[in-house]
């Protein structure tokens, strides 16, 4: 999953980006509203973390412009816990908000919920045959056995599992699993898929006509 964080306080931006990367997300950042809007319109992020008070273009104006074109899930960071700010944000299309100073674990949980709901998934657990994926705990079980995946393998598996029954193209996977600074070799996806198949069964992920993958 790929997240855009738009925040002008550099310490907070760095902390958030690092923490999200440790959670296994690909993360892009923007330090002002104009740059944030440009990136938000240029790529299909799985979610955007958006600060309200930003230079060049504030978070509310950014969100209004973005909502004219895109439905990307947006979690707002509001500085003041005033009802006006929360209501305004939700009314112009924010999906959720947290009030600064916020708890990182709560922000992660809210983000996971936004990403799941965007794919029509209400619950944190996804079951495909004998494989259970717990998107809250980020664990995978096959039967009773816990399967250890690398962060990238897990991200790929979760992305496909949230879209099970649909073919996901390689382009989509590159756009959602890697950030703008990643320089990855094109065959790396195949390596991750092949590793997941070794761990969860050769039929678990199918290849469709050479250009996409699918969990049936
Ligand atoms: Ca700010």
């Amino acid at each position: 999953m790929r997240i855009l964080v738009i925040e002008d306080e550099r310490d907070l931006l760095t902390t958030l980006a690092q923490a999200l990367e440790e959670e296994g997300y690909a993360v892009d950042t923007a330090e002002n509203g104009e740059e944030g809007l440009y990136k938000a319109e240029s790529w299909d992020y799985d979610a955007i973390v958006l600060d309200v008070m930003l230079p060049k273009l504030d978070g509310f104006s950014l969100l209004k412009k973005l909502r004219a074109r895109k439905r990307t899930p947006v979690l707002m960071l509001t500085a003041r816990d005033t009802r006006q700010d929360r209501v305004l944000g939700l009314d112009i299309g924010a999906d959720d908000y947290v009030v600064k100073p916020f708890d990182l674990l709560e922000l992660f949980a809210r983000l996971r919920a936004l990403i799941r709901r965007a794919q029509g998934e209400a619950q944190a657990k996804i079951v495909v045959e004998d494989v259970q994926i717990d998107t809250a705990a980020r664990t995978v079980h096959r039967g009773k056995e816990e399967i250890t995946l690398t962060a990238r393998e897990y991200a790929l598996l979760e992305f496909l599992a949230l879209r099970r029954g649909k073919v996901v193209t390689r382009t989509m996977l590159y756009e959602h699993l890697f950030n703008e600074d990643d320089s990855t070799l094109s065959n790396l996806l195949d390596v991750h898929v092949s590793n997941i198949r070794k761990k969860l069964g050769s039929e678990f992920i199918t290849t469709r006509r050479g250009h996409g993958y699918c969990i049936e």
Side-chain angles (χ1 to χ4, degrees), residues 7-9 51 53-54 100:
E7 166 62 75
D8 60 315
E9 288 165 55
D51 188 32
M53 305 284 279
L54 289 169
K100 289 179 175 179

Side-chain angles (χ1 to χ4, degrees), residues 36-140:
L37 180 64
Y38 171 75
K39 289 187 180 179
E41 288 184 336
S42 302
W43 288 283
D44 281 329
Y45 290 99
D46 295 286
I48 296 171
V49 177
L50 174 63
D51 188 32
V52 171
M53 305 284 279
L54 289 169
K56 296 195 181 174
L57 183 68
D58 70 85
F60 292 132
S61 308
L62 188 160
L63 182 59
K64 259 188 214 161
K65 286 175 190 277
L66 181 68
R67 280 289 173 261
R69 296 180 54 178
K70 285 185 127 170
R71 280 292 321 144
T72 315
V74 170
L75 176 81
M76 294 204 92
L77 306 178
T78 64
R80 299 156 295 165
D81 189 11
T82 69
R83 191 174 60 194
Q84 273 153 308
D85 268 19
R86 296 191 313 255
V87 170
L88 179 60
L90 294 169
D91 273 349
I92 59 181
D95 299 276
D96 203 354
Y97 63 88
V98 291
V99 177
K100 289 179 175 179
F102 52 84
D103 179 66
L104 265 184
L105 294 179
E106 184 188 345
L107 181 128
F108 292 159
R110 289 183 180 277
L111 269 181
R112 287 195 299 268
L114 284 190
I115 291 169
R116 279 202 309 272
R117 286 205 299 266
Q119 298 306 322
E121 202 78 50
Q123 296 194 350
K125 284 204 173 124
I126 300 170
V127 179
V128 184
E129 291 171 357
D130 63 339
V131 174
Q132 305 116 50
I133 304 162
D134 185 332
T135 60
R138 299 171 48 76
T139 56
V140 178

Side-chain angles (χ1 to χ4, degrees), residues 175-214:
E175 186 159 328
H176 287 269
L177 299 182
F178 303 108
N179 70 32
E180 59 189 344
D181 302 322
D182 269 326
S183 55
T184 38
L185 300 167
S186 62
N187 65 3
L188 218 57
L189 264 183
D190 303 320
V191 175
H192 293 318
V193 169
S194 144
N195 288 340
I196 295 172
R197 282 175 176 151
K198 276 180 206 148
K199 295 171 182 179
L200 296 178
S202 57
E203 304 292 304
F204 194 73
I205 296 175
T206 52
T207 304
R208 292 289 187 83
R209 293 194 199 105
H211 52 69
Y213 296 107
C214 179

